[in-house]
Amino acid sequence: MTTPLSVLDLSPISTGSDARQAIRNTIDLARHAEAWGYRRYWVAEHHFVAVASSAPTELIALIAAATETIRVGSAAVQAGYRTAASVVEAFGTVDALYPGRLDLGLGRSAHRLPQLRAMGTPPSLRSPRPTVVRDGVVVPPPFAPAQIRDTSRLAASLEALLLPGAEPPDYAEQIAQIRALLAGTYTTADGIHLRAVPGEGADVQVWLFGSSGGESAQLAGCLGLPFVANYHVSPGTILETVAAYRAAFRPSEQFREPYLVVSADVVVAEDEARARHLAATYGHWVASIRSGAGATEYPDPETAPPLTDYQLRLVDDRVNTQFVGTPAAVAARLSALQQLTGADELVITSVTHRHADRLTSHRLLAREWGLEGARGS
């Protein structure tokens, strides 16, 4: 298989563990991912929940220092919490010591705050269409955010990340500012030229991330940027997300053609039963997120209670689209996802209660996929 594989890590905290250990686990997995031949190692940004990836730039610096060649990046920096200058200066600082290895992934989750304030609950995205299977890939109906019973914690979290009275900036304008600061062409509305130091001229690749065919996908296409479609977050919208990016794409200096990465959740073990056991509490974890409470510590499958009917309805699209099984079975399903979407690269996230099992999942998949460093491992 020739399609590159990359890793997305949320630095999950397991029950009985803590953030310090989660960060140590992230560094350990990054070193192994590099040795096994994964192309990139990306970290997510989440706040006020039981994951240790709340400060992606700092975590990226630690990973870059602990590795040699693997590209390291954000998946994604939530731009609405920051100024364009702070983003560029932070990545420019890391790039100064690890030039040419950084991916600056940008997302727009913070821009949901006005919507939450105005509506209390996001509008329903549910489609009347049934679950379909396309070339072996499950595409469920889009998740309906209206199923989230309480958005107060999410709104409070978004508020806490902004200065009093601040509003998230216009997303497209902020992307333009970030790119201008990196290129050294940034000028204020008053005509004053400002330079980001460090940051200007940094060899940083800008990416956009999205879970729908909306602004992020269309903006990435219009700007000729690489784009990541989040199948692992929103499997029901993957086809329209990919189509929107391709339809909007205009060649740029760096990318003459679209460059698409698609994400997937996986758990791999030597046999099917073991993989299913390790993945048994994934639904519990997703349910904690979608309930509005935020991600809890990742449950132990040995002790977790069964999901309730409400929880099962809340997570069925995610559980049914997680790739769980033997190396051959998971690799075959990932290959089908790549063919359906035309992805140039796949990024996988694999969460288990025990770090050792997470390492094994990544190692077995890398070997089955044919990554150079994993042969014979």
Side-chain angles (χ1 to χ4, degrees):
M1 299 179 182
T2 58
T3 303
L5 275 186
S6 295
V7 174
L8 167 59
D9 183 12
L10 280 67
S11 299
I13 300 172
S14 294
T15 53
S17 189
D18 56 28
R20 290 183 179 182
Q21 187 58 52
I23 291 173
R24 293 187 179 99
N25 291 345
T26 282
I27 300 301
D28 185 52
L29 178 56
R31 288 173 172 150
H32 280 92
E34 178 177 71
W36 292 329
Y38 286 94
R39 174 169 287 189
R40 311 173 200 275
Y41 197 94
W42 286 341
V43 295
E45 178 181 349
H46 295 283
H47 299 274
F48 306 115
V49 292
V51 298
S53 58
S54 58
T57 310
E58 289 82 350
L59 194 50
I60 287 166
L62 294 173
I63 296 168
T67 55
E68 299 291 337
T69 58
I70 194 169
R71 293 192 67 89
V72 187
S74 53
V77 165
Q78 302 307 322
Y81 304 138
R82 302 170 176 82
T83 64
S86 69
V87 172
V88 172
E89 288 169 350
F91 271 76
T93 299
V94 181
D95 176 77
L97 291 183
Y98 308 102
R101 291 180 58 195
L102 301 190
D103 293 325
L104 172 50
L106 297 164
R108 57 184 297 270
S109 292
H111 296 78
R112 289 181 292 172
L113 181 55
Q115 181 187 53
L116 288 171
R117 285 187 184 134
M119 304 184 65
T121 301
S124 173
L125 297 178
R126 181 170 296 280
S127 166
R129 74 169 186 241
T131 295
V132 298
V133 180
R134 296 279 299 275
D135 301 330
V137 178
V138 177
V139 182
F143 174 70
Q147 294 182 76
I148 301 175
R149 292 175 176 173
D150 183 2
T151 60
S152 59
R153 182 180 177 86
L154 175 58
S157 299
L158 296 179
E159 292 274 12
L161 292 165
L162 294 170
L163 291 171
E167 294 287 343
D170 179 79
Y171 185 59
E173 181 179 340
Q174 193 172 23
I175 300 302
Q177 292 173 351
I178 288 171
R179 299 181 75 211
L181 285 164
L182 286 168
T185 60
Y186 179 80
T187 303
T188 69
D190 298 326
I192 299 173
H193 177 61
L194 297 178
R195 301 179 62 188
V197 183
E200 181 179 317
D203 189 7
V204 172
Q205 177 61 61
V206 175
W207 294 69
L208 298 190
F209 285 66
S211 300
S212 73
E215 183 176 11
S216 293
Q218 295 172 29
L219 185 60
C222 288
L223 297 177
L225 293 174
F227 179 68
V228 183
N230 296 324
Y231 179 74
H232 84 285
V233 171
S234 183
T237 58
I238 185 63
L239 297 179
E240 48 261 53
T241 303
V242 169
Y245 170 60
R246 294 192 186 282
F249 189 84
R250 301 294 180 269
S252 64
E253 185 176 334
Q254 290 180 304
F255 291 88
R256 305 307 300 168
E257 297 180 349
Y259 193 89
L260 174 69
V261 176
V262 174
S263 64
D265 255 306
V266 311
V267 174
V268 183
E270 291 284 3
D271 62 76
E272 179 81 14
R274 176 65 176 167
R276 292 290 170 192
H277 176 70
L278 296 177
T281 50
Y282 175 71
H284 299 68
W285 195 57
V286 175
S288 70
I289 298 169
R290 285 186 168 177
S291 70
T296 59
E297 294 178 350
Y298 199 84
D300 185 345
E302 299 290 345
T303 58
L307 290 171
T308 67
D309 290 342
Y310 166 68
Q311 289 173 324
L312 287 168
R313 291 193 301 271
L314 203 60
V315 304
D316 61 353
D317 64 320
R318 294 281 295 275
V319 171
N320 291 334
T321 55
Q322 189 184 29
F323 296 2
V324 180
T326 63
V330 171
R333 290 185 62 195
L334 286 173
S335 180
L337 178 65
Q338 184 275 323
Q339 292 176 39
L340 177 64
T341 60
D344 299 286
E345 188 173 332
L346 296 174
V347 58
I348 59 104
T349 179
S350 186
V351 184
T352 57
H353 181 260
R354 294 176 62 249
H355 179 59
D357 295 322
R358 197 158 68 117
L359 288 176
T360 298
S361 181
H362 287 85
R363 176 179 59 83
L364 291 176
L365 180 59
R367 185 175 64 186
E368 181 69 27
W369 201 258
L371 300 187
E372 182 107 14
R375 295 173 184 171
S377 64

